[in-house]
Amino acid sequence: MKEALDIAVSWERLDEGAVEECACFGLLTIRQGNRLLTEGIDGFIDSTRRGPLVSGYHLAEWLAWNWWRLTGEPMPKRMSHDWSFAHSLATIGAGYLWPNISIFSDREHTVLIAKPTHPDGFAPFRFTADQAIILPTRQFVAVVDRFMEQIQGQLRAKAIPLTNFDRIFDELQAERTDSKMAAGRKLEALLGCDPDEASVEEIERLFADAEGFGWDAIQELAADHQPGRSIPRMSDLTALAATIGTDTRPGDIPLLPTTELPPRDQVPAWRHGYETARVLRVACGLQSGPLPDQRLADLSGVSVQVLAASPSAGHVFAFSLDDESGKAGHIVLRSKWATGRRFELARLLGDRLTTGYLNERLLPATRAYTYRQKFQRAFAAELLCPFEALKEQMDGDYSADAREDVAHYFGVSERTVTTLLVNYKCIDRSYLDEDLEILAA
């Protein structure tokens, strides 16, 4: 079992500054066992320190204000200054040098990534940590709560009246205990908004659609939001399913022995996806070679015609939408190409196998980096291109030409092959441009 994450400030004296700042001043450390994310070189003494001298008050204030985004907003496809200010400790400021640590969640796990700093010339503190910590979000929440309570206790011990941090923290606690308010804050965070920043009309519309689609599905759509684009409405997706969707039979999809599947909060999404695909292969007696189109369609409860290349595709994302009885529905695939459509259908199959307990009508396969979407991608990769069979086919040759050849053999994209090879450490992760595609730490 991994050691617990710890955020701590060792109190030291500070004689100048606001009373709350001085009361909470000290050496900051963020660590998990011997993995220290705050270490660096103190420029004044030219020696290694476990962390910088800062005021924990400012960190607690920042954590309380950004709590909903830190615990529920995934990394976006493209970084923005707004996202960084809500997720990077380096942006806290207040006159201190903060660790270059980014924090974000995939709705199931939270990731803390520390990167070195490379200042020009003299620097009072240069951070040297270069590693990541991944832990269940519920554990991260407990650690952050404990730290904020310690800061509040320190303020009271120093007889300091209620501060701005106290106000934000108390409001946060009230929001978390109000189920409707908490749900709204989660949607705001998934939309990349600070509290009360999102459009009230947009939030109410998402709540309304959740009644027909399902609450988890709506959160997945919110996580896939794109600047300048509105989130598809229930009426839009229903019309799309009716006009270009392919009939599907959810009842024909085999059930898996859930006792053989790893708990979601104990393994990263890629591992959960691969293990689920392996359980399905064993349960259905699938061979280790390429999965034929007809067999994939049968497993997914849909006609094989859905996999044919379609020049009319290209809508926002692939999805499956059940009717109100749950016994029939439609599948809509996004990709125009056969390999892309195979991958999307496999993603929706994996999603169906593991989200049946949600009892929701909509199953979306989006571009977001939530746990659910990363699971889908990993499941599809292992189902269509089993790693052991892939490794045997490549026989130690992981060149670009070899990856392209084996991708054609298994009927997948070269990107899928590369991701598998990176996850299993056959090639370096620099071959991929998104850390969250793998989350293999």
Side-chain angles (χ1 to χ4, degrees), residues 22 108 134 217 255 281 346 375 382 398 402:
C22 295
E108 197 73 41
I134 303 173
L255 298 178
R281 278 187 164 272
F375 163 85
E382 179 64 21
Y398 302 131

Side-chain angles (χ1 to χ4, degrees), residues 369-434:
Y369 289 132
T370 62
Y371 188 99
R372 183 171 172 178
Q373 303 303 318
K374 291 185 292 183
F375 163 85
Q376 290 180 16
R377 298 181 192 110
F379 172 89
E382 179 64 21
L383 180 67
L384 300 178
C385 185
F387 175 71
E388 293 302 328
L390 166 70
K391 189 175 180 181
E392 182 178 346
Q393 281 288 321
M394 301 194 79
D395 194 26
D397 179 6
Y398 302 131
S399 65
D401 287 343
R403 297 199 302 272
E404 185 175 347
D405 288 345
V406 79
H408 179 74
Y409 173 74
F410 283 104
V412 297
S413 69
E414 190 267 339
R415 171 77 177 190
T416 297
V417 171
T418 301
T419 301
L420 280 162
L421 294 173
V422 169
N423 280 338
Y424 282 95
K425 305 187 187 320
C426 295
I427 59 177
D428 186 78
R429 74 165 53 200
S430 60
Y431 284 88
L432 293 175
D433 55 4
E434 293 102 354

